Amino acid sequence: MLIFLAVLVLHGQDQPDIPKPVPVIIGGAGFITTFDGGQPHLGPLIAPVLLVPIGDRWLIESRATFEADMVQEPGSSSFHGQVLKSIDYAQLDFIANPYVTVTAGRFLTPFGIFNERLYPIWIRNLQTDPLILPIGTGPSQASTGAMLRGGFPATSKFNINYTVFFSALSTVTLSNVTPLDSDRLVGGRAGIFIPNARLEIGGSFEHLLQDERSNTFGFHGGWQPPALPLEFRGEYQRSARGSGYWIEPAYRLSQVPFWQYAMRRTQLVARMQQYFVGEIPSDSLPPVNTRQFEFGVNYYFRDGLRAVSSYGRQFSQLGNKNVWTIGLTYRFAIPLGPGGEN
Amino acid sequence: MKLKRNILACLAVLILGGVLCAAGQEKAKVVDTKVSSAGADTASGSPLVSSKPVHKAAYSRFEGEQRYRANCGRCHMAPHKFPPRMMATIVRHMRVRATITDEDMNFILRYMTE
């Protein structure tokens, strides 16, 4: 494998005409109020991502999250809660060549598309997590080890992307920080992306190398019809711990012929999801079969700043409940050096 | 253990096969580019890389915008432009995060830093 990588590195090409990158902090912040079964929760959150490029091929990236879940104590009108601090990932990327990037450290488990690409508060269309999110990613949603990944054009019509990774068992606990735990497992994800159709489909696989040594697999898809301000995303996952799916269409109202200023900034979104309990119980997954439907309206004030709101109804053997959310999300980007020309 | 070995072997073969396939495509593309710069057309009928700088810049801008909308829109609303050196870092990050191809990354970066 080392020889294989070394040969590929020799084929890498420098890009002399691109701007010289500077360290940057990007990320999302928000304040989400949730009414879960009638119980109000206030959720301030900030998740900065530090990006430190080194030379032409290296990148250090890390995301920390500071969030609180503030609830009313019995007999009190004020809200209380602790600030939870977590280091979601801290990884070193080496772009070996146009086809392979080598990543080492603690990284978001590349299973499906939600955890790696749709999770940030400023990206997700609905603020609640899909019920099946922990199936492939585990409770911490991160792995500790090494990963090979990349994307390349297979033909002029479509691109292939892939990820293969190994994660070691980690039980690291730092003071005042959510545990940096991970399971011992090996896995991968592969997909194709058809740019003209804006269609993406793929599958993921994991084999747990501890405990019950079970397999987990999943499929994901996304489609943004070029002619419409519409997008569809969805995932299906199956493991011994449970299985389920979510489907999420979203539509921007830019085609509505009246109130154009407001309509083109408004997005309607829905999500249908279902979870089925598996043979092995899991603390991070629902204990019973669960169905949930959500409908949301988002309003984009400007690039990076939006108001979000949603209503959801959850059906399960433990009882049905409503879940409301309302809040603001913001995406920020701060250069840690001169951001202009070289 | 046998299953684990088989899985690893399959993944290794898939990656190797994909890389070799892509390398073959890349070589073919180099040949195509040489042919098109000599005045021939491509099978897809897409705009050609012209020897004239104006056409080349227009083609680069067109492709950059197309790829920017297609790739960035896979996950989020296409963002506004950032200063060039910031953009270089963010595009490198997105290349890793979203497994964007090298070619797409270069087009997007040029478009976003014009």
Side-chain angles (χ1 to χ4, degrees), chain A residues 20 22 58 61 252 340, chain B residues 25 74 77 85 89 92-93:
Chain A
K20 191 178 175 186
V22 290
W58 297 84
E61 49 180 321
R252 194 85 169 236
Chain B
Q25 292 289 333
R74 285 160 68 193
M77 308 303 296
R85 296 183 68 183
T89 306
R92 187 183 295 187
H93 166 61

Side-chain angles (χ1 to χ4, degrees), chain A residues 4 8 15 17-22 24 26 51 53-59 61 89 91 93 95 97-99 101 108 116-118 122-123 149-155 159 161-162 164 186 193 198 200 205 207 209 224 233 252 300 303 331 333 335 338-342, chain B residues 1 3-4 7-8 11-12 14-19 21-27 29 44 65-67 69-90 92-106 109-110 113:
Chain A
F4 173 61
L8 291 177
Q15 301 291 332
D17 57 337
I18 64 171
K20 191 178 175 186
V22 290
V24 171
I26 62 172
L51 304 174
I54 303 169
D56 292 334
R57 295 162 178 267
W58 297 84
L59 179 67
E61 49 180 321
Y89 64 84
Q91 66 187 60
D93 306 317
I95 301 169
N97 60 54
Y99 311 108
T101 297
L108 297 173
E116 272 201 314
R117 288 169 31 194
L118 307 177
W122 66 272
I123 294 178
R149 61 192 298 145
F152 52 86
T155 72
N159 303 334
N161 56 71
Y162 72 91
V164 288
V186 61
F193 174 54
R198 297 191 184 175
E200 178 182 21
F205 177 77
H207 179 65
L209 298 170
Q224 292 87 40
R233 293 192 186 93
R252 194 85 169 236
Y300 289 78
D303 181 36
R331 188 215 60 232
E341 299 291 345
N342 289 335
Chain B
M1 285 302 286
L3 176 65
K4 193 167 64 178
I7 292 166
L8 289 173
L11 289 173
L14 276 174
I15 293 171
L16 189 60
V19 169
C21 171
Q25 292 289 333
E26 195 70 23
K27 280 183 182 174
K29 195 178 292 175
S44 63
E65 185 174 2
Q66 294 294 313
R67 295 178 193 227
R69 294 197 183 285
N71 283 280
C72 303
R74 285 160 68 193
C75 301
H76 52 73
M77 308 303 296
H80 292 163
K81 294 181 178 182
F82 293 108
R85 296 183 68 183
M86 273 181 81
M87 206 68 235
T89 306
I90 292 168
R92 187 183 295 187
H93 166 61
M94 293 318 303
R95 174 201 179 143
V96 176
R97 176 67 54 217
T99 52
I100 296 173
T101 67
D102 189 60
E103 189 180 79
D104 286 352
M105 187 200 76
N106 288 327
L109 184 55
R110 286 199 185 93
T113 54

